[in-house]
């Protein structure tokens, strides 16, 4: 059985890109009985940038609710909140003492963030070390991540290798699992959908707000009667990712025939999202109105995660001489 672990930062409500690019594929992977999956909400990582109690709490619940609404099986896997298993902070310190300063200074994500943010704290700098601790604390073998996280996995492997070189058999060396098939989902402006670009589709909004978001998808200025090229249209690109092949073909024909406006296509996309995700939207809203259910799941998950974390940390402390 392979141990698969991944974390997702709780920086907002998961959007359609997060769902199609990360959450749904990860849940599919967890359904393989050959795997044992550990998924956690990286709320300690969020603390590098979020400074508001309500926002931090809300984002954690919203992220957890999305995973649960899409059917993550918490009974046969582990689902927990990073900050509930404080052993990760202790391990992070040991790993910090094994991390060459230039390795962190050269990390793309740090360079990128330190260029963009007005205040750069050292938590942002050591972010990859905490991430290494997240992974090594649970003897994870495979870590599904997006391409942007590959360097962090390389850092994890380097730190673990250097540590094992002196303190033999302390850590399992993990492997990144990057799904090349997962496409980048475009946002309402055609760029990669991202919280940072203000171009998201949040399927958990109420109908009116969701419709407004879909109506805001940018298109060219061709008129109703004009024939249109679906391959150049953001509405069609998103529709195609969600619809059956048959329905996509039908929409493609309508674009090419003319007398079919972008407003029509957007309305079809809105209806598709409402139908396709109706049970998930309902479950999400139920959970967000009853956060005690989420809290219970996370506490139970943390209890199971702590058992593994204690065992690994004991091994490491013993190897160091503490
Ligand atoms: P954001 O760009 O909105 O801040 P994150 O960087 O927090 O998103 O990404 C969380 C997960 O969702 C990652 O695994 C990432 O690869 C995936 N993801 C984010 N945006 C997209 C997208 N537009 N298409 C596909 N996957 C995405
Ligand atoms: N850094 C990851 C991201 O921004 C989130 C994360 C934190 C993570 N710890 C992790 C992912 C451990 C995989 C394993 O997406």
């Amino acid at each position: 059985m392979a141990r698969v672990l991944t974390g997702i930062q709780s920086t907002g409500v998961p959007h359609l890109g997060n769902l199609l690019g990360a959450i749904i594929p990860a849940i599919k992977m967890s359904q393989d009985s050959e795997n044992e999956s550990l998924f956690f909400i990286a709320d300690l990582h969020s603390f590098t940038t979020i400074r508001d109690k309500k926002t931090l709490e809300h984002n954690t619940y919203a992220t957890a609710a999305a995973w649960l609404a899409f059917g993550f099986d918490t009974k046969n896997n582990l689902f927990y909140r990073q900050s509930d298993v404080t052993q990760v902070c202790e391990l992070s310190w040991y790993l910090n003492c094994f991390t060459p300063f230039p390795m962190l200074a050269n990390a793309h994500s740090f360079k990128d963030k330190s260029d963009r943010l007005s205040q750069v704290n050292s938590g942002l700098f050591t972010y990859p070390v905490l991430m290494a601790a997240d992974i090594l604390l649970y003897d994870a073998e495979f870590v599904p991540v997006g391409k942007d996280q590959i360097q962090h996995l390389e850092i994890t492997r380097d730190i673990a290798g250097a540590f094992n070189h002196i303190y033999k058999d302390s850590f399992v060396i993990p492997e990144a699992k990057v799904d090349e098939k997962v496409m980048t989902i475009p946002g309402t402006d055609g760029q990669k959908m991202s919280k940072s670009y203000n171009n998201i589709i949040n399927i958990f909004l109420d109908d009116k707000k969701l419709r407004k978001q879909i109506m805001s998808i940018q298109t060219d200025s061709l008129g109703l009667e004009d024939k249109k090229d679906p391959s150049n249209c953001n509405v069609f690109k998103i529709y195609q990712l969600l619809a059956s092949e048959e329905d996509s073909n039908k929409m493609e024909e309508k674009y090419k025939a003319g007398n079919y406006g972008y407003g029509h296509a957007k309305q079809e996309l809105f209806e598709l999202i409402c139908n396709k995700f109706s049970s998930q939207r309902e479950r999400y809203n139920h959970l967000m109105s009853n956060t005690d259910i989420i809290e219970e799941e996370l506490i139970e998950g943390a209890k199971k995660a702590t058992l593994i974390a204690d065992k690994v940390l004991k091994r490491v402390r013993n190897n160091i001489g503490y």
Side-chain angles (χ1 to χ4, degrees):
M1 184 174 282
R3 185 170 286 172
V4 179
L5 172 145
T6 202
I8 182 155
Q9 259 205 83
S10 44
T11 37
V13 179
H15 52 70
L16 190 63
N18 299 142
L19 290 167
L20 298 179
I23 297 180
I24 296 172
I27 292 177
K28 280 219 178 88
M29 202 173 187
S30 73
Q31 286 160 349
D32 180 343
S33 56
E34 293 292 299
N35 294 334
E36 176 192 19
S37 292
L38 283 76
F39 291 155
F40 69 94
I41 298 164
D43 62 338
L44 292 173
H45 279 109
S46 308
F47 192 55
T48 54
T49 49
I50 294 177
R51 288 287 180 272
D52 176 65
K53 179 180 156 103
K54 284 229 150 51
T55 309
L56 193 83
E57 276 172 357
H58 176 267
N59 288 354
T60 295
Y61 287 143
T63 307
W67 282 88
L68 297 172
F70 273 80
F72 182 57
D73 173 359
T74 55
K75 295 286 164 287
N76 292 311
N77 297 288
L78 264 73
F79 187 59
Y80 57 99
R81 175 167 47 199
Q82 185 186 26
S83 63
D84 283 339
V85 190
T86 53
Q87 286 81 343
V88 77
C89 297
E90 183 179 339
L91 182 60
S92 188
W93 175 251
Y94 303 148
L95 300 179
N96 259 306
C97 298
F98 263 78
T99 308
F101 184 90
M103 190 155 85
L104 296 181
N106 286 326
H108 306 308
S109 70
F110 177 70
K111 285 195 204 156
D112 187 44
K113 284 177 194 154
S114 53
D115 283 348
R116 271 193 293 130
L117 297 173
S118 55
Q119 291 202 358
V120 180
N121 57 60
S122 63
L124 272 174
F125 186 68
T126 56
Y127 180 110
V129 185
L130 180 59
M131 180 160 161
D134 288 330
I135 298 166
L136 301 175
L137 186 60
Y138 297 96
D139 284 343
E141 295 165 272
F142 297 103
V143 185
V145 281
K147 287 196 192 94
D148 58 322
Q149 298 295 316
I150 294 178
Q151 193 185 33
H152 287 157
L153 258 293
E154 286 306 320
I155 293 176
T156 303
R157 288 164 60 87
D158 283 353
I159 301 173
F163 203 100
N164 276 354
H165 190 67
I166 297 188
Y167 301 108
K168 303 268 175 278
D169 301 324
S170 291
F171 297 121
V172 170
I173 310 280
E175 248 178 65
K177 238 182 165 349
V178 182
D179 192 342
E180 297 292 343
K181 290 197 302 291
V182 172
M183 332 180 25
T184 300
I185 314 300
T188 52
D189 58 358
Q191 287 191 81
K192 171 189 183 285
M193 188 180 292
S194 170
K195 285 175 290 259
S196 335
Y197 303 151
N198 210 0
N199 65 356
I200 68 159
I201 294 180
N202 172 5
I203 68 154
F204 300 118
L205 288 175
D206 63 43
D207 285 1
K208 201 170 159 205
K209 289 190 181 135
L210 174 61
R211 190 166 182 280
K212 198 167 162 214
Q213 240 173 23
I214 292 171
M215 290 296 158
S216 76
I217 299 176
Q218 290 174 19
T219 54
D220 60 32
S221 52
L222 288 173
L224 174 70
E225 62 287 353
D226 294 319
K227 294 180 180 171
K228 302 179 178 68
D229 176 7
S231 63
N232 267 335
C233 176
N234 296 325
V235 186
F236 182 74
K237 281 184 199 155
I238 301 174
Y239 184 84
Q240 200 179 24
L241 291 164
L242 299 171
S244 66
E245 204 179 328
E246 194 189 342
D247 287 343
S248 294
N249 290 343
K250 274 192 204 151
M251 188 181 273
E252 193 169 355
E253 279 162 25
K254 290 190 224 169
Y255 266 76
K256 289 181 176 161
N259 279 321
Y260 180 73
Y262 292 121
H264 296 129
K266 288 176 183 176
Q267 180 62 27
E268 283 198 50
L269 174 60
F270 168 65
E271 284 167 16
L272 174 65
I273 290 179
C274 292
N275 289 332
K276 193 175 174 81
F277 298 126
S278 74
S279 67
Q280 289 89 341
R281 293 173 77 211
E282 202 176 301
R283 175 119 183 93
Y284 175 91
N285 284 319
H286 176 72
L287 289 165
M288 289 307 279
S289 316
N290 296 278
T291 50
D292 49 319
I293 304 176
I294 305 177
E295 196 55 46
E296 225 170 87
E297 289 277 10
L298 293 173
I299 297 292
E300 275 312 301
K303 281 188 199 154
K304 292 197 254 174
T306 299
L307 296 178
I308 306 177
D310 277 339
K311 203 171 110 211
V312 176
L313 195 58
K314 195 169 165 205
R315 184 172 79 214
V316 174
R317 288 178 61 101
N318 186 46
N319 287 355
I320 298 175
Y322 286 137

